[in-house]
Amino acid sequence: MTASRLATGGSAIDRSRPIRFSFDGTTVQGFAGDTIASALLAGDVAVVGRSFKYHRPRGIWGAGVEEPNALVDVGGATPNTRATTEPARDGLVAKSVNATPNALVDRNAFLDRFSRFIPAAFYYKTFMWPDWHMFEPRIRAMAGLGKVDAGWASPGLSDQINHHCDVLVVGAGPAGLAAAKLAAGADQSVVLVDDQLRAGGSLGHRAGEVDGKSATEWVDETVANLAANGHLILPWTTAFGIYDHNLVGLNQRHLDGRSDTLWRVRPRRIVLATGAIERPLPFANNDLPGILSADAALAYLRRHAVLVGRRIVVATNNDSAYEVAEAVAEAGADVTLVDIRRDGMPAAPVNARVLKGRALASARGKLRVEGVTLDDGSRLDADCVLVSGGWTPTIHLFGQARGKLAWSEARAAFLPGDPVDGISVVGAAAGAVCLSDVFAGVADAFPGKGSAATPRSTGPEATGGIVAAWPMPGSKGRIWIDYQNDVTVKDVELAARENFVSVEHLKRYTTLGMATDQGKTSNLPGLALMAGITGRTVPEVGTTTYRPPFTPVPLASFAGARVGELMAPVRRLPLENVHRASGAVFQEYGGWLRPAHYGGRDADADRAIQDEARRARQSVALFDGSTLGKIEVIGPQAAAFVDFLYYNTMSTLKPGRCRYGFMLSENGVVFDDGVLVRLDEHRFVISCSSSHVAAVHARLEEWRQDRFGRDAVYIHNATSEMATLTVSGPNARKLLERLKLGLSLDDADLPHMAVGHGRYGGDQVRIARVSFTGDRSYEISIRADRAEPLWAHLRQAGQALDAVVIGLEALMILRAEKGFIVIGKDTDGTTLPHDLGSEGPRAKRKTEYVGRRSLFTEEASRGNRLQLVGLTVPSGEAPLPTGAHGIDRRDGKLKSQGFVTSSYQSPTLGRPVALGLIERGATRHGETIEIQHLGKIRTATIAAACAFDPAGDRLNA
């Protein structure tokens, strides 16, 4: 027996509530308050996992988020959970990862024997020849660590909360509690978060006294006062990322089994009191089970009453391990402390032997440590080795906020450098060692708050005294730098030999500090080793970029309630119920629920659609176009803004006029089309495609923020505020005149592509004379809540004119007859404006606009580009299938030369009409090509896109 549970002690556990759970099929006993890791240690379970690449046996190293080895699958629902942060619960089922059948007996352990043949980046070199795909299936099968149970059911939707506060304090250790206390005393709202269930941080297991009170008493009192004064305290909550404008992402876990909660917090100020992480020491076989962080061992002892060994070697290069050695010796262990320093150390721990000026050369053992060899060749028996290689401040969040780091020789670590606006770093994260320094740093971060409010350390004080102990080039044996990713000293040396000396290249070549570890224990030793290899200093080597999340966040937290209709909410017309009462059959189009046709579900849909389209050409049609975008662009630079956003020049548009134009992506591809309305000198309305409203709005905001300020341009999306009712057809003007809207409809006063204003029922209406059918058309925009009376009046007045209400399917026929396109249907992800016949701005426009540069690339000028055309077939034949390909039989092979994008039977023309994208189509009008679909071949003639009223006489323009 080595590790064991002591009969007394353990501040975190409740001995009156015993629990039992299983690990790899074996029953483990513990108490409420245990983590999986502490219960496994108490049960003397040494091997808890297997390393990623070589499947070496690994034991528990840490006591928190720094743990690289003890990853477990919990209940098949949560893979790769750190055993050190997961509470042990009665009936819990945990399984080691990356091990078959279990961690103790792993069939893939033989891979370690071939480690010399599979060093860092071996797969880049080994599996490229003769073909990567030969090896890929097996490599993918072996990749990854944990597995999700396919039958797992979610406990429910994750909550997402947006919150604002004056001060967000990350970390509830002594520094964080002091900062929260000072902020609260200054009448600022505080949110205090900590990734532990209980506040206190290092005070939960390290010696300390504050304001004459025990550490526990001071922590409990401070937390109680904060809560009593209405401040928000979030235990078991990790701040995983800092994003633009100091948005902080928090992931809160729950003991009652609920899904995690995602918090999006926007504080006025962030205080990072994130502490520091203890580093390993470099020696051969330093990854054996039974080799732990010294601080973790102290935490297990004082929080969980677990003594991690009976014959313990404590190896260190700093003072912090002395408290550990004394504590485990007092608990009954036989302790030898090996300190690489020869002088300047604290007093020797009671009941512990101290070897000065010595270092560990290697550890002995197979499935667990059995002893160590010192650098002078002497050997010590040991069932546990506790190591302290110094402390690395947890500055991940500071780095995510673009904070620069500064190297400290005295601390042998990177500390926060130049301050970042709105962010303060305090405590061990800022390099403080003793409580007095911690509280002094907090006071400096809150100047003028009064020294009386600042906590004071009145008990024992920690000291540093570190002498750097980095991995050395050319070291004998296998010295592990990154436990999680199986990176050794030799791997870093190999990277250097192959010139991967940049820290970012080193990281990717060796996988050092990647995955969930994010360099918590491995980053600094790896950088120091590369510095030694290349003859540089550690700051000259630099650091990698810290990226969120700091610890893994469940995907369910990011998803929140966005499932089903909440994932892609169906948008509804203001007049939906009115259309349903009229027999509308609804379908979803671009996220909107819209009438496809009328006549009810029992009607012949094809016949109803054809009848609607025919009657629309004969008299007048009514159509609900409320889904069209109505995004207002306002401001002194609004004209310059729309010029930059559109392919066409829009600033020359006169007030009261409209213009059709394209928006392009940065790669020149047509992003959206629509009509731009200029209301006055500084106000435009963008009428974009129904399915692109959200995307266009986001795009406008993105470019406004990039090039224009709010004082120059303001954007307001009024799409949902207004309904748009369309009147189209030869008798459209007659119908509108019967409504007496208070404006002249004469063509001289309201010509095609003009806009006017009138009134209906006391409400102002905007009337745009634009057309998507090719007939005279008017789009009437009115407040959405006032649309129903107007629609009823239009229908009643239209009876005398044989008006017809049409759905979207009939409208698609009408627009296709005219050759009007639908973006995303008659275009694809490569369509440029000149492919659609719009060459003018590309050839003539000199000012800058989005996508301009991409229109002059070699690809954009390629002679065989797909171009918009019409495709005709003889009367009596069926319409061409949408998606059918035009084929080219040259060279004896079938080759696609484009495809059919839209195809309908035209009741007006008495024959099918179709649009397509065909190679060099603009120059091939009159040519007959073969069309293939599902093995059947037909012929079609390439024609102009407009098949109906090509002169535009019916527009009365």
Side-chain angles (χ1 to χ4, degrees):
M1 189 73 174
T2 54
S4 60
R5 180 91 66 180
L6 301 180
T8 60
S11 62
I13 60 174
D14 183 353
R15 294 178 185 268
S16 68
R17 297 168 56 199
I19 61 171
R20 295 162 65 93
F21 66 94
S22 72
F23 173 74
D24 278 353
T26 301
T27 299
V28 180
Q29 296 182 343
F31 298 105
D34 265 324
T35 63
I36 293 176
S38 65
L40 290 175
L41 282 171
D44 196 32
V45 178
V47 182
V48 298
R50 291 281 169 164
S51 67
F52 176 60
K53 188 162 66 171
Y54 300 132
H55 287 258
R56 285 174 62 85
R58 291 280 164 80
I60 293 165
W61 155 264
V65 298
E66 76 280 1
E67 174 58 42
N69 298 330
L71 304 179
V72 296
D73 286 349
V74 178
T78 311
N80 300 330
T81 297
R82 285 179 168 87
T84 53
T85 61
E86 185 69 19
R89 296 184 294 273
D90 203 42
L92 177 144
V93 178
K95 187 181 184 306
S96 57
V97 303
N98 201 41
T100 306
N102 56 54
L104 188 60
V105 182
D106 182 14
R107 288 200 292 265
N108 291 319
F110 73 92
L111 288 170
D112 194 37
R113 300 177 185 176
F114 299 94
S115 60
R116 63 179 298 184
F117 302 110
I118 46 177
F122 75 97
Y123 41 87
Y124 293 131
K125 309 166 188 176
T126 308
F127 301 115
M128 294 298 105
W129 184 90
D131 185 357
W132 157 255
H133 298 289
M134 292 175 56
F135 308 100
E136 183 182 16
R138 181 56 182 160
I139 291 175
R140 287 194 179 278
M142 294 185 67
L145 295 173
K147 296 181 180 179
V148 177
D149 186 349
W152 171 74
S154 169
L157 301 180
S158 295
D159 290 331
Q160 293 186 340
I161 300 174
N162 297 315
H163 190 78
H164 293 258
C165 63
D166 292 323
V167 180
L168 170 67
V169 180
V170 180
L177 289 171
K181 181 180 179 180
L182 289 183
D187 294 327
Q188 295 177 314
S189 60
V190 176
V191 175
L192 175 65
V193 304
D194 194 85
D195 60 5
Q196 301 293 315
L197 281 168
R198 298 182 63 176
S202 62
L203 293 180
H205 60 279
R206 290 276 180 179
E209 181 182 284
V210 184
D211 291 339
K213 305 180 181 73
S214 69
T216 301
E217 184 181 359
W218 178 78
V219 168
D220 292 344
E221 181 183 286
T222 303
V223 171
N225 286 338
L226 289 169
N229 286 285
H231 301 287
L232 181 61
I233 300 174
L234 299 176
W236 217 21
T237 300
T238 301
F240 61 81
I242 295 181
Y243 301 88
D244 290 348
H245 313 296
N246 283 353
L247 169 67
V248 184
L250 311 177
N251 190 69
Q252 181 185 21
R253 304 174 70 189
H254 301 285
L255 284 173
D256 57 9
R258 287 180 293 148
S259 293
D260 296 2
T261 298
L262 181 75
W263 291 75
R264 289 181 287 259
V265 181
R266 288 195 183 274
R268 296 180 184 275
R269 182 180 180 186
I270 302 169
V271 178
L272 299 179
T274 46
I277 294 172
E278 195 167 43
R279 296 192 293 263
L281 282 171
F283 53 91
N285 296 330
N286 60 339
D287 68 330
L288 282 177
I291 300 176
L292 285 79
S293 153
D295 188 68
L298 186 61
Y300 288 122
L301 177 65
R302 289 181 169 163
R303 297 184 181 192
H304 304 282
V306 175
L307 181 59
V308 293
R310 293 295 174 177
R311 299 191 313 278
I312 298 177
V313 170
V314 180
T316 186
N317 65 343
N318 68 91
D319 294 349
S320 66
Y322 279 67
E323 182 181 357
V324 179
E326 185 162 324
V328 294
E330 184 181 351
D334 178 43
V335 179
T336 301
L337 193 151
V338 180
D339 193 331
I340 70 170
R341 300 171 297 176
R342 294 187 179 276
D343 50 40
M345 294 93 76
V350 178
N351 298 324
R353 296 181 299 278
V354 178
L355 300 179
K356 299 180 181 181
R358 292 284 182 268
L360 302 189
S362 65
R364 305 191 311 274
K366 186 175 181 182
L367 290 178
R368 64 192 309 163
V369 66
E370 298 172 3
V372 297
T373 301
L374 303 184
D375 54 359
D376 63 357
S378 59
R379 295 158 67 100
L380 298 174
D381 290 335
D383 57 24
C384 180
V385 178
L386 308 182
V387 298
S388 178
W391 295 85
T392 302
T394 307
I395 37 74
H396 294 67
L397 295 176
F398 182 76
Q400 291 174 19
R402 298 187 179 181
K404 302 300 182 182
L405 305 180
W407 177 252
S408 170
E409 275 307 330
R411 298 283 184 265
F414 283 104
L415 304 180
D418 295 335
V420 175
D421 188 39
I423 298 178
S424 300
V425 186
V426 296
V433 174
C434 64
L435 278 179
S436 293
D437 289 345
V438 167
F439 294 144
V442 173
D444 290 342
F446 289 87
K449 304 308 178 189
S451 59
T454 304
R456 293 178 301 109
S457 173
T458 54
E461 293 278 54
T463 55
I466 187 170
V467 172
W470 305 122
M472 299 300 292
S475 300
K476 294 181 179 180
R478 299 170 75 188
I479 299 175
W480 302 89
I481 306 295
D482 187 324
Y483 295 149
Q484 187 171 104
N485 296 300
D486 269 344
V487 180
T488 67
V489 167
K490 289 182 172 56
D491 290 323
V492 178
E493 291 174 328
L494 176 61
R497 285 199 301 273
E498 300 200 359
N499 205 32
F500 290 93
V501 294
S502 161
V503 288
E504 297 292 354
H505 293 162
L506 169 67
K507 177 179 178 178
R508 284 150 183 82
Y509 185 87
T510 63
T511 67
L512 175 70
M514 293 183 70
T516 61
D517 179 64
Q518 284 297 297
K520 294 179 179 66
T521 58
S522 62
N523 196 43
L524 198 48
L527 300 178
L529 176 57
M530 180 57 76
I533 295 170
T534 58
R536 294 178 289 173
T537 64
V538 177
E540 285 174 340
V541 172
T543 62
T544 54
T545 302
Y546 292 108
R547 296 180 175 87
F550 175 65
T551 54
V553 178
L555 294 178
S557 291
F558 289 121
R562 288 176 292 184
V563 297
E565 282 200 18
L566 294 177
M567 175 64 182
V570 176
R571 304 188 68 181
R572 299 178 181 275
L573 296 168
L575 299 180
E576 178 180 331
N577 292 335
V578 175
H579 294 308
R580 289 189 183 277
S582 300
V585 177
F586 280 80
Q587 293 183 19
E588 193 228 329
Y589 300 91
W592 287 89
L593 202 60
R594 306 172 69 178
H597 63 85
Y598 291 80
R601 292 199 172 275
D602 295 333
D604 184 324
D606 289 339
R607 179 174 295 178
I609 293 166
Q610 289 284 303
D611 183 61
E612 289 175 12
R614 182 182 63 256
R615 291 175 61 191
R617 291 290 188 209
Q618 293 172 346
S619 180
V620 61
L622 304 178
F623 174 74
D624 190 342
S626 300
T627 61
L628 287 171
K630 294 172 277 286
I631 304 175
E632 297 190 14
V633 178
I634 308 165
Q637 293 190 36
F641 182 67
V642 295
D643 260 359
F644 180 70
L645 263 293
Y646 275 91
Y647 170 64
N648 318 72
T649 299
M650 295 300 190
S651 59
T652 56
L653 190 62
K654 295 180 180 179
R657 292 293 187 264
C658 314
R659 184 170 295 165
Y660 175 80
F662 291 135
M663 288 186 185
L664 310 183
S665 299
E666 291 181 55
N667 58 5
V669 171
V670 177
F671 176 78
D672 190 62
D673 70 337
V675 170
L676 180 72
V677 179
R678 188 167 196 170
L679 299 180
D680 57 42
E681 183 181 1
H682 301 307
R683 188 179 181 191
F684 296 80
V685 178
I686 295 175
S687 180
C688 54
S689 303
S690 300
S691 60
H692 291 169
V693 174
V696 169
H697 185 207
R699 176 186 179 84
L700 296 177
E701 272 296 342
E702 179 180 5
W703 283 113
R704 182 197 65 75
Q705 294 178 29
D706 184 72
R707 295 175 66 95
F708 299 83
R710 283 193 181 276
D711 56 343
V713 177
Y714 180 77
I715 297 168
H716 173 61
N717 185 3
T719 302
S720 60
E721 298 173 14
M722 304 184 74
T724 299
L725 309 179
T726 302
V727 181
S728 175
N731 292 324
R733 177 176 167 181
K734 292 180 181 179
L735 175 55
L736 235 62
E737 286 173 339
R738 300 187 178 198
L739 267 64
K740 303 186 183 303
L741 297 176
L743 81 165
S744 172
L745 298 177
D746 187 83
D747 287 348
D749 297 321
L750 188 67
H752 181 59
M753 298 303 280
V755 63
H757 291 85
R759 303 195 71 81
Y760 181 81
D763 294 306
Q764 186 181 70
V765 295
R766 184 170 66 227
I767 303 171
R769 191 171 161 199
V770 295
S771 176
F772 195 47
T773 64
D775 280 313
R776 177 192 290 269
S777 297
Y778 302 88
E779 292 182 355
I780 312 169
S781 295
I782 189 172
R783 275 179 46 176
D785 59 342
R786 305 294 176 86
E788 187 172 343
L790 175 58
W791 180 256
H793 197 170
L794 285 169
R795 294 203 62 182
Q796 183 272 329
Q799 291 178 0
L801 299 172
D802 192 28
V804 60
V805 181
I806 66 172
L808 195 64
E809 294 300 321
L811 182 66
M812 289 296 100
I813 295 175
L814 300 177
R815 65 91 195 172
E817 291 173 344
K818 288 294 296 180
F820 296 158
I821 62 172
V822 174
I823 301 297
K825 180 175 178 64
D826 299 301
T827 65
D828 63 13
T830 67
T831 305
L832 305 179
H834 49 277
D835 298 331
L836 303 174
S838 181
E839 175 69 29
R842 176 175 180 253
K844 300 176 182 178
R845 191 174 170 187
K846 303 303 181 183
T847 55
E848 192 59 65
Y849 54 88
V850 176
R852 178 175 181 265
R853 180 173 176 270
S854 298
L855 299 183
F856 298 93
T857 62
E858 182 179 350
E859 170 64 21
S861 303
R862 181 166 47 84
N864 61 343
R865 293 191 60 81
L866 300 184
Q867 297 174 327
L868 181 72
V869 296
L871 296 168
T872 64
V873 297
S875 299
E877 288 194 12
L880 295 170
T882 301
H885 280 260
I887 57 173
D888 186 346
R889 294 180 179 270
R890 287 178 297 181
D891 303 325
K893 297 179 181 179
L894 289 181
K895 174 181 174 294
S896 173
Q897 54 177 324
F899 53 93
V900 179
T901 61
S902 296
S903 183
Y904 306 93
Q905 177 67 33
S906 167
T908 304
L909 298 174
R911 61 175 176 83
V913 294
L915 300 175
L917 291 172
I918 302 296
E919 285 185 3
R920 299 176 288 104
T923 62
R924 299 170 63 186
H925 289 189
E927 181 180 330
T928 298
I929 63 171
E930 291 183 322
I931 304 289
Q932 176 178 275
H933 180 67
L934 298 179
K936 296 182 179 180
I937 296 178
R938 298 173 57 184
T939 59
T941 301
I942 300 175
C946 180
F948 176 76
D949 186 30
D953 295 333
R954 293 172 65 103
L955 273 177
N956 295 281

